[in-house]
Amino acid sequence: MYTLSDFDFDLPEELIAQFPLPERSASRLLLVDEKKIADSRFYHLIDHLSEGDLLVFNNTKVLKARFFGSKASGGKIEILIERILDNRNALAKIRASKSPKAGSIIRIDDEIDVSVTGRDGEFFILQFPSDIFKILEEHGHLPLPPYIERAADSFDEKRYQTVFARELGAVAAPTAGLHFDDELMEKLRQKGISFAYLTLHVGAGTFQPVRSENLSEHQMHTEWYTIPEETVEAVKTAQQGKHKVVGVGTTSLRALESASQTGKLKAGSNETSLFITPGYQFQTVDHLITNFHLPKSTLLMLVSAFAGYNLIKKAYAHAIAEKYRFFSYGDAMLLKCISHKNG
């Protein structure tokens, strides 16, 4: 039985990538399976996939989800949208010296008045005066992760989105997808590698720390996803042809596995609070492309379940020794599943 401490490791601060590389696919790629751990580059991913393999991408698009404003008292306030409920209401985290009460007003940029209408657990329910997506675009700021110690700039507005981002709704990028550029996508197509898409809107909860040593006590955050029928058919085609189903990122994997809990992948929309830890048997995903994750994080537990706890520990030690770049703007790994229902 694993505990939280089993997923801790020492990471030199200088390995936390603060900026993206100039070229998306120039990132390093660590190849990890039971036979070897090998260094490569992301643009060589094509050499490790075969005709008929399927890449499943998360096409969510990051919102400009951070606002700065003030309370009626004049106190400064920071808002991070967690989820859009409809075109005027949203769930949000609020950072302030004193939490606002229901019925209070927050002013954004000295011109937009937002009402606090209630609470939902740790989140505040906010009502905007008009279309929330328009206000986000005009007054919001891109929400870089907490470990990137700088404000987002115009370069981030492009680079913290994938080249296939379509569906607006995330507050964090599906970062494994950031390594793909148009040139690599075209080369993969030419090799006969198939693409499919789903949408999982990444919430701020993805950065939520696990606080209990006993993992069974952790309450996993929920995220909304949708899987189209054509993606289900693409997975079925790949599986029937004995080709690899490759999840591009933990968000794609989490959506696919959440929709496969009956043993068969189903199309549709739902919420997931699936918490994957070692011992989980994967239903759909054979290989995973993923970045390097935070110590003690649910995502580190997920990849340990996928590729094997000891192998991930070894891979991370190798990555640190070889000075790989970590987290959202960092390098990537290609992992093979060790615990699949089909063996």
Side-chain angles (χ1 to χ4, degrees):
M1 196 70 169
Y2 291 99
T3 64
L4 181 60
S5 298
D6 292 319
F7 298 92
D8 197 11
F9 63 92
D10 292 322
L11 180 68
E13 201 173 318
E14 65 269 18
L15 297 187
I16 300 173
Q18 296 295 314
F19 294 90
L21 295 178
E23 299 295 327
R24 290 178 184 267
S25 61
S27 323
R28 296 168 80 184
L29 178 66
L30 189 62
L31 307 169
V32 180
D33 63 35
E34 62 277 5
K35 294 174 188 167
K36 67 177 188 308
I37 292 174
D39 303 304
S40 185
R41 289 280 170 185
F42 203 85
Y43 48 70
H44 289 311
L45 174 67
I46 192 167
D47 300 328
H48 306 287
L49 298 174
S50 306
E51 183 180 350
D53 287 347
L54 176 69
L55 289 169
V56 184
F57 298 100
N58 182 4
N59 65 4
T60 189
K61 191 171 185 179
V62 183
L63 299 158
K64 292 183 180 178
R66 181 168 276 130
F67 292 112
F68 298 97
S70 58
K71 295 186 281 187
S73 63
K76 298 296 180 192
I77 203 161
E78 181 182 334
I79 298 169
L80 179 63
I81 301 296
E82 164 71 14
R83 183 181 303 193
I84 307 292
L85 300 175
D86 55 44
N87 70 344
R88 288 197 48 202
N89 296 278
L91 291 181
K93 284 186 173 179
I94 291 180
R95 185 186 290 178
S97 56
K98 192 176 178 185
S99 292
K101 291 186 168 61
S104 60
I105 300 294
I106 298 168
R107 174 151 279 205
I108 294 168
D109 285 355
D110 288 328
E111 70 175 281
I112 305 289
D113 285 339
V114 178
S115 305
V116 180
T117 60
R119 295 287 295 265
D120 183 356
E122 64 183 303
F123 301 111
F124 292 83
I125 304 169
L126 302 182
Q127 185 174 80
F128 287 74
S130 57
D131 182 61
I132 190 169
F133 291 100
K134 190 168 187 292
I135 293 172
L136 283 162
E137 188 56 37
E138 292 176 358
H139 299 274
H141 302 264
L142 196 74
L144 289 179
Y147 43 74
I148 293 180
E149 297 171 345
R150 61 181 181 81
D153 59 22
S154 56
F155 186 58
D156 293 300
E157 289 190 11
K158 183 179 179 185
R159 283 303 304 276
Y160 196 60
Q161 302 279 15
T162 63
V163 296
F164 42 81
R166 295 289 181 273
E167 303 295 332
L168 200 56
V171 301
T175 54
L178 297 178
H179 303 285
F180 289 84
D181 54 29
D182 292 329
E183 185 182 353
L184 178 58
M185 299 278 280
E186 184 53 36
K187 285 179 178 176
L188 290 164
R189 277 191 199 94
Q190 288 175 6
K191 188 170 178 177
I193 291 153
S194 300
F195 299 163
Y197 298 89
L198 55 78
T199 305
L200 182 142
H201 290 321
V202 191
T206 194
F207 304 114
Q208 180 183 322
V210 181
R211 294 187 173 91
S212 174
E213 270 296 304
N214 183 347
L215 301 184
S216 66
E217 294 175 1
H218 177 66
Q219 181 60 52
M220 192 68 177
H221 64 284
T222 60
E223 291 171 318
W224 179 90
Y225 71 87
T226 187
I227 297 177
E229 189 60 56
E230 55 264 35
T231 296
V232 173
E233 289 304 313
V235 168
K236 195 185 295 180
T237 299
Q239 290 173 333
Q240 287 171 346
K242 307 293 184 190
H243 300 297
K244 295 189 283 286
V245 175
V246 184
V248 178
T250 56
T251 59
S252 292
L253 179 146
R254 197 159 171 248
L256 289 168
E257 291 298 320
S258 297
S260 304
Q261 292 300 291
T262 61
K264 184 180 176 185
L265 180 64
K266 291 184 176 178
S269 300
N270 211 332
E271 296 218 330
T272 178
S273 56
L274 181 64
F275 183 20
I276 295 176
T277 56
Y280 177 88
Q281 189 175 51
F282 289 84
Q283 303 290 316
T284 298
V285 181
D286 307 305
H287 285 67
L288 175 66
I289 297 166
T290 184
N291 283 21
F292 293 90
H293 304 293
L294 278 74
K296 295 185 173 182
S297 64
T298 59
L299 298 180
L300 181 56
M301 295 166 197
L302 183 155
V303 296
S304 297
F306 191 83
Y309 175 82
N310 291 327
L311 188 55
I312 287 294
K313 202 166 181 181
K314 205 163 140 188
Y316 271 57
H318 176 93
I320 290 168
E322 295 299 319
K323 300 194 182 313
Y324 274 66
R325 302 165 76 249
F326 274 65
F327 307 158
S328 295
Y329 275 150
D331 297 314
M333 297 189 288
L334 177 61
L335 305 176
K336 182 181 177 184
C337 185
I338 60 154
S339 178
H340 201 284
K341 68 166 185 175
N342 296 323

